[in-house]
Amino acid sequence: MPDEQPGAPRLDPAVAARLRRNADGLVPAIAQQYDTGEVLMLAWMDDEALRRTLATGRGTYWSRSRQSYWVKGETSGHTQRVHSVALDCDGDTLLLRVDQQGPACHTGDRTCFDAGDLPLAAQ
Amino acid sequence: MPDEQPGAPRLDPAVAARLRRNADGLVPAIAQQYDTGEVLMLAWMDDEALRRTLATGRGTYWSRSRQSYWVKGETSGHTQRVHSVALDCDGDTLLLRVDQQGPACHTGDRTCFDAGDLPLAAQ
């Protein structure tokens, strides 16, 4: 993650203290459509991505491939208005309930899980 | 992950080829209640945990803290019957739609996200 700038806003210390980050300083963030319950995607946040998300109400993530922040929909227009953010029981996963405009997936699918059912032997 | 035993069953190679694992050989797996849409928990799978889940229809994960496999509900009785398993667009996240008996969370909450809403400045 980028070095902090002096005087830059920081994530609420009470929230930061609850986060359990991986070795890269990241936690997975699940985005769920707030009204239909669809699981849309999973992306990653560091403290600053979470701070921006909480401050702006727009889903903001850390791109591991591009090593930069991205605001969902900034280029595609498929924005994510955040209704709530919950941290799980052990502080290592976030659940965002969002209002997703259009497809959440870069493939054009509504969710990132629409194309991939795996063969299940038993029910 | 444990060493493979010779002749042990292996994950379908067509599925294994689609998985993009982290440095520890794991992918995050989101468990969602199949009918209500509740996001219950996030846990981790390696190839063998996924193989067992697909073969048995019971949610089976890799415990990073205990370094062993665990079948959800094996000790608590709060089992997870798996209805479907989907791999996301880039192969690095699983979504399980399950029928969760009782609480999914070790705290006794229905989901692992019930206790932790974070303060959101903007809506």
Side-chain angles (χ1 to χ4, degrees):
Chain A
M1 274 50 20
D3 289 338
E4 289 171 20
Q5 300 301 315
R10 299 185 59 173
L11 181 62
D12 177 349
V15 173
R18 294 172 56 196
L19 281 184
R20 285 176 55 194
R21 307 160 193 82
N22 72 8
D24 296 320
L26 302 174
V27 295
I30 303 163
Q32 179 182 36
Q33 177 65 29
Y34 81 101
D35 49 2
T36 64
E38 293 163 290
V39 174
L40 300 167
M41 53 179 270
L42 182 142
W44 294 81
M45 288 190 181
D46 65 359
D47 285 41
E48 174 61 12
L50 178 56
R51 185 195 70 75
R52 294 184 189 187
T53 296
L54 294 172
T56 65
R58 301 182 66 183
T60 306
Y61 304 94
W62 176 256
S63 168
R64 298 174 300 169
S65 55
R66 295 190 301 270
Q67 293 282 298
S68 61
Y69 297 104
W70 56 288
V71 179
K72 179 71 182 168
E74 200 165 42
T75 54
S76 66
H78 301 142
T79 55
Q80 246 175 27
R81 176 60 54 188
V82 179
H83 284 233
S84 67
V85 180
L87 189 60
D88 79 343
C89 54
D90 55 6
D92 66 5
T93 305
L94 293 160
L95 176 61
L96 281 69
R97 295 185 177 91
V98 305
D99 191 12
Q100 171 71 48
Q101 298 301 309
C105 189
H106 72 285
T107 62
D109 283 341
R110 172 65 178 168
T111 90
C112 291
F113 301 96
D114 288 355
D117 263 25
L118 301 181
L120 188 64
Q123 287 287 348
Chain B
M1 270 62 1
D3 288 338
E4 289 170 20
Q5 302 300 315
R10 299 184 61 172
L11 180 62
D12 177 348
V15 173
R18 295 173 55 196
L19 281 184
R20 286 177 54 193
R21 307 159 192 82
N22 72 9
D24 296 321
L26 302 173
V27 294
I30 303 163
Q32 179 182 35
Q33 176 66 28
Y34 81 100
D35 49 1
T36 64
E38 295 163 289
V39 174
L40 300 166
M41 54 178 268
L42 181 141
W44 295 81
M45 289 190 179
D46 66 357
D47 285 40
E48 174 63 11
L50 178 56
R51 185 195 70 75
R52 293 185 189 188
T53 296
L54 294 171
T56 65
R58 301 182 66 183
T60 306
Y61 304 94
W62 175 256
S63 169
R64 298 174 301 168
S65 55
R66 295 190 301 271
Q67 292 282 300
S68 62
Y69 296 104
W70 56 286
V71 178
K72 178 72 183 168
E74 198 164 45
T75 54
S76 67
H78 302 142
T79 54
Q80 244 173 31
R81 176 60 54 190
V82 178
H83 285 234
S84 66
V85 180
L87 190 59
D88 79 343
C89 53
D90 54 5
D92 65 5
T93 305
L94 292 159
L95 176 62
L96 281 71
R97 294 186 178 90
V98 305
D99 192 12
Q100 170 71 49
Q101 298 301 309
C105 189
H106 72 285
T107 63
D109 284 340
R110 171 67 177 166
T111 90
C112 291
F113 301 95
D114 287 354
D117 264 23
L118 301 181
L120 188 61
Q123 286 285 348

